[in-house]
Amino acid sequence: MTDLRPRFWETVPLERMTRAEWEALCDGCGKCCMNKLEDEDTGEVALTNVACRLFDDATCRCSQYDIRHQFVPECIVLKPQNMDRNLYWMPETCAYKLLWQGRSLYSWHPLISGDPDTVHRAGVSMQGRTVPEFEIDDDDWEDHIIEEPT
């Protein structure tokens, strides 16, 4: 991470970050890779523990990140230009969402702690808590709704 400016997230607007800085904002919690249920009437979004088929439960990362759209065309590429359309489904602890809202990163965030495992030790990540989407029928996703870890 030597190509990152010191504490860039405190001084650099999201739209002016380098690609490396943007990617470094991801805390590795894996919540964005969980399938969600959206209430058509209220717009409320519920997080499930049903993981995308490309999600690696051990690392909390996409197993095919660079080519994920070949397998999951609907996977969203988050960027400053589409944040306003995607904030509603993003986890409350997400660094992108926090910075967009003018808030600070949590102490367990790897950029603050210097350790990529603090997100897991803090109990915020989905590590070891998921079921693969191919094992669960779509009609049963409601049985897998979870409260978002904070």
Side-chain angles (χ1 to χ4, degrees), residues 30-84:
K31 292 181 225 170
C32 62
C33 297
M34 298 302 110
N35 286 288
K36 290 134 189 97
L37 295 172
E38 184 173 355
D39 186 299
E40 291 180 22
D41 297 326
T42 66
E44 185 177 332
V45 176
L47 179 69
T48 73
N49 68 340
V50 180
C52 168
R53 63 186 146 276
L54 299 179
F55 184 72
D56 182 328
D57 186 76
T59 64
C60 274
R61 299 287 181 172
C62 179
S63 64
Q64 300 293 327
Y65 185 70
D66 291 334
I67 58 171
R68 66 192 183 278
H69 290 104
Q70 292 178 22
F71 305 100
V72 185
E74 66 275 13
C75 183
I76 292 177
V77 177
L78 192 63
K79 47 190 161 187
Q81 297 80 10
N82 67 15
M83 291 286 289
D84 56 342

Side-chain angles (χ1 to χ4, degrees), residues 9-11 14 25 87 90-106 108 112 148 150:
W9 61 93
E10 295 176 335
T11 58
L14 292 169
L25 288 179
L87 279 180
M90 293 168 59
E92 293 304 313
T93 56
C94 177
Y96 300 101
K97 186 172 189 173
L98 291 170
L99 294 178
W100 183 265
Q101 295 172 334
R103 297 169 54 203
S104 300
L105 301 182
Y106 288 97
W108 46 257
I112 303 292
E148 183 178 341
T150 56

